Amino acid sequence: MTQAEQPTAPRRLPPAFRVLALSEAISAAGSQFTLIAVPFLAATALDATPSEVALLSGAQFIPALIVTPIAGKLADVRDRAFLLYASHYGRCLLLIAVVGLAAASLLNYEILFAASMLLGACTALFDTALLAYIPDTVEAEELTRANGQLAAVYAVAQTAGPAAGGLIISGIGPVLALCIDAVSYAGGGTALRLRRQPSRHRASKQSAGIMEGFSAVVRSDALRRLVSAGSLFNLAEQVALSVLFIAVVKEADRSVAVIGFGFSAAGIGSLIGAWASRRYGGGDRARSWVWALALSQAALLAALWSFTLVSWGEPLFLLTMLVYGGTLAYYNVHSLTRRQILAPEGMLGRVNAAYRTIAFGTIPVGAGVAALLLTLTTAPMAATLVAGLSVVATWILATGTYSTVKQESA
């Protein structure tokens, strides 16, 4: 092979994207503190009951169904960089307010619940705008690599963040931990503001109806299949995760620490999957994400059955959780890239908002299905009944998606 024929290393992603990745690394690390600090603060300082703590943990997800469609429209008609750093600053101010009220002994559960919902609204705005902003910072052929790099940032934060957050909160307390997260949001927002990238492919306010995003998904065979696959997977995954604790701790009589190690293994797998999507994904080889989606569900099922099938259940459980995290991250990167490519001109924000609203809407349904099935059968069998059907349906949907991508993107 001559020197001219030797493959060249991929060029560095543009500065605007590198700043975005740095901003996400800062804020994602700080967010892990809040995920632990808020329920800990409620339980210790506000004497919240276990059910109140559980409601508080889910409060940030409640506004998503309402805010996300509106955020999709804003992402199509407004400057996306502004929406991103405004969301960061909004979360920073909310956390500062909580810290100030706690220091003045004026904080109560109701205020903390309301603050959590507002934090969730800011997060929904940020997440929706982010999906539309990434194509503003890189070219189309770089999307898979850029999405993979951001997925790696999240994987590192989710793997190391909870452990670091637990240690920091136990050392300095939840209030000061919230201060750290507020600073991380301020830093991330400032970085985005200083190196903002103008939005491309924006729509006019007159043509940017919220429901047009849902209509675009319905009209596109590939987008319909992507939404269906994501919705089915989220439902089945929620059933599996809802019964995972019971399957491992109650029915298999293992320590709760095994659960923690399992999710750490999934986080490490996510990092591997994100790296693999950057290194091997994209182009025609993107068909591998079809296999990855089915394999992630099979791995999660194997994790649930690991202690029942073999005597060395712990190593098998950790291995299957590693595979689950890796294949799911690989699929998510490619699913996001497909949506970014297939969304009609000026509709990326609303298409992604429609996807998130529909696909994430099945998560509470999965929790209800899990509760019902657990009254009828064992935890692994409950997850198997749902995920078995989901694997088959998802395979059909995802395979069809790949076959229509070239037709609709041509």
Side-chain angles (χ1 to χ4, degrees):
M1 179 182 295
T2 65
Q3 184 175 0
E5 293 174 333
Q6 291 179 355
T8 58
R11 69 182 183 90
R12 295 182 69 187
L13 292 172
F17 175 80
R18 297 203 300 271
V19 170
L20 174 64
L22 174 63
S23 170
E24 278 300 273
I26 295 171
S27 59
S31 297
Q32 299 301 314
F33 299 166
T34 296
L35 288 176
I36 301 175
V38 168
F40 186 80
L41 177 64
T44 56
L46 304 181
D47 295 323
T49 66
S51 60
E52 288 176 333
V53 172
L55 287 173
L56 189 63
S57 298
Q60 293 194 39
F61 299 98
I62 296 174
L65 295 177
I66 301 173
V67 174
T68 297
I70 301 173
K73 176 177 179 175
L74 292 175
D76 283 339
V77 300
R78 297 293 303 272
D79 180 65
R80 293 158 190 155
F82 169 78
L83 296 177
L84 293 178
Y85 66 72
S87 300
H88 272 330
Y89 289 152
R91 287 180 286 190
C92 173
L93 292 175
L94 283 169
L95 291 176
I96 290 175
V98 169
V99 169
L101 290 171
S105 300
L106 297 175
L107 184 66
N108 57 34
Y109 177 82
E110 289 74 19
I111 293 175
L112 189 59
F113 188 89
S116 295
M117 291 192 66
L118 290 174
L119 283 171
C122 290
T123 299
L125 174 60
F126 180 89
D127 290 345
T128 305
L130 175 65
L131 298 179
Y133 182 64
I134 296 171
D136 291 337
T137 63
V138 299
E139 300 301 324
E141 62 272 14
E142 298 172 325
L143 279 173
T144 300
R145 191 154 61 99
N147 290 326
Q149 186 167 321
L150 283 179
V153 168
Y154 300 140
V156 171
Q158 292 170 1
T159 302
L167 291 174
I168 290 175
I169 291 170
S170 63
I172 65 175
V175 175
L176 289 180
L178 292 178
C179 288
I180 294 176
D181 194 14
V183 171
S184 76
Y185 282 130
T190 301
L192 285 171
R193 185 177 182 183
L194 292 177
R195 193 59 189 247
R196 60 194 296 176
Q197 182 72 19
S199 296
R200 297 185 286 188
H201 314 299
R202 289 167 63 179
S204 65
K205 294 182 180 180
Q206 293 76 17
S207 63
I210 291 177
M211 295 307 297
E212 289 182 6
F214 294 88
S215 298
V217 170
V218 172
R219 290 194 302 267
S220 168
D221 181 64
L223 289 174
R224 283 201 312 271
R225 291 173 181 271
L226 277 173
V227 171
S228 299
S231 300
L232 283 170
F233 176 81
N234 285 344
L235 189 150
E237 182 189 44
Q238 187 60 37
V239 172
L241 294 179
S242 297
V243 302
L244 185 62
F245 178 86
I246 296 173
V248 175
V249 177
K250 296 295 184 180
E251 297 184 1
D253 196 24
R254 297 304 200 276
S255 168
V256 70
V258 175
I259 295 286
F261 284 119
F263 281 106
S264 294
I268 295 171
S270 296
L271 184 59
I272 297 172
W275 173 84
S277 68
R278 294 169 54 201
R279 179 67 177 83
Y280 300 108
D284 290 340
R285 292 171 296 177
R287 189 172 188 174
S288 55
W289 62 267
V290 176
W291 292 97
L293 179 61
L295 184 56
S296 65
Q297 296 187 351
L300 189 54
L301 282 180
L304 285 164
W305 282 99
S306 57
F307 297 101
T308 304
L309 297 176
V310 296
S311 57
W312 35 278
E314 284 84 355
L316 180 60
F317 175 72
L318 296 178
L319 176 61
T320 52
M321 290 296 287
L322 179 75
V323 174
Y324 159 71
T327 51
L328 182 57
Y330 189 89
Y331 167 78
N332 283 335
V333 167
H334 284 91
S335 173
L336 173 56
T337 302
R338 292 299 135 200
R339 302 200 306 270
Q340 291 167 333
I341 292 174
L342 293 171
E345 185 80 9
M347 295 189 62
L348 180 54
R350 284 166 290 165
V351 165
N352 278 314
Y355 177 93
R356 292 174 64 85
T357 301
I358 298 171
F360 287 17
T362 60
I363 293 178
V365 176
V369 171
L372 175 62
L373 290 176
L374 284 173
T375 64
L376 304 174
T377 185
T378 63
M381 183 59 70
T384 302
L385 290 173
V386 176
L389 294 174
S390 180
V391 165
V392 176
T394 299
W395 173 257
I396 296 171
L397 291 165
T399 303
T401 301
Y402 176 78
S403 66
T404 58
V405 163
K406 290 184 178 179
Q407 299 174 16
E408 298 196 14
S409 60

